[in-house]
Amino acid sequence: MIGCAFLIIAVIITGIVVVAIYMIYRPKMPYIEVADAHLNTLDYDQSGLLDTEMALTIVAENDNFKAHASFSDARFNLRFHGIKIAELRAAPFDVPKNSSFPLYYLVPSSTIPLDQGRMEAMDMALKQGIVPFILDGQARTRWKVGIFVPVRFWTHLSCELPFFWPNGTVVSPLNCSSRSH
């Protein structure tokens, strides 16, 4: 009986400590988002060969006022209708408290041969004046809540980047973030 009473008291005290740490630190999960994108080059010929060059700015955001965040294993894939045309990576980096860290990419693709279905999709996109690409990927994030509770998780990004063509600007608003709303 006495052992159960001590166990109950320990659980209650642990709960109070966890709630107190949460109330003091008000933790927010770091996230990644695409801040800017521009399709610099799109070379496509009628034999189905595609070459692109894209400028992307991906920003790691840390809205925590009391804890810095670390990002590692950041990998993103740029795709056109399911074909991976480029892979973007970043070395591990830290984001200070209540700050952000931009990752700038200039992404040239190698020549990509498109099959008949993808050629038709590209022809339709060019006729409509909007060429869609998909950006997906993830990064491992680590930060601390208080001084004792390390938090680790994967943040995932998956979004469409539609570009006006021939000027290459991204269709606004650019809503591409791993932040859950």
Side-chain angles (χ1 to χ4, degrees):
M1 266 327 234
I2 294 174
C4 288
F6 283 126
L7 182 62
I8 291 171
I9 291 170
V11 168
I12 291 171
I13 290 172
T14 302
I16 291 170
V17 168
V18 168
V19 169
I21 289 173
Y22 177 80
M23 295 304 288
I24 291 169
Y25 283 90
R26 300 271 181 184
K28 296 178 183 173
M29 292 199 327
Y31 61 95
I32 49 178
E33 68 180 354
V34 177
D36 191 33
H38 192 271
L39 184 59
N40 297 338
T41 305
L42 187 143
D43 291 328
Y44 171 69
D45 63 27
Q46 293 306 311
S47 65
L49 297 177
L50 174 67
D51 280 307
T52 63
E53 181 184 271
M54 190 177 300
L56 289 172
T57 303
I58 298 175
V59 178
E61 296 280 350
N62 179 14
D63 293 337
N64 286 301
F65 286 99
K66 298 185 180 185
H68 84 280
S70 298
F71 288 78
S72 62
D73 299 320
R75 292 182 182 194
F76 307 99
N77 296 307
L78 188 61
R79 302 175 191 278
F80 176 76
H81 282 271
I83 295 177
K84 182 165 73 170
I85 61 173
E87 182 175 10
L88 296 72
R89 294 182 183 198
F93 59 93
D94 289 334
V95 180
K97 303 170 188 175
N98 198 34
S99 188
S100 62
F101 185 84
L103 301 167
Y104 300 104
Y105 294 99
L106 184 60
V107 187
S109 72
S110 55
T111 301
I112 307 293
L114 301 180
D115 63 18
Q116 187 62 37
R118 291 181 178 100
M119 288 172 60
E120 291 171 5
M122 179 57 81
D123 289 337
M124 181 65 70
L126 291 172
K127 286 177 187 170
Q128 293 174 346
I130 296 178
V131 181
F133 291 88
I134 300 293
L135 180 68
D136 60 30
Q138 62 190 13
R140 183 177 298 215
T141 307
R142 189 185 62 186
W143 50 286
K144 285 189 176 183
V145 178
I147 58 172
F148 300 112
V149 186
V151 178
R152 295 178 184 161
F153 66 94
W154 286 94
T155 181
H156 300 274
L157 185 71
S158 181
C159 57
E160 184 177 83
L161 299 174
F163 293 95
F164 290 114
W165 191 252
N167 70 6
T169 58
V170 71
V171 176
S172 293
L174 183 57
N175 187 14
C176 184
S177 174
S178 67
R179 185 178 199 170
S180 53
H181 298 280

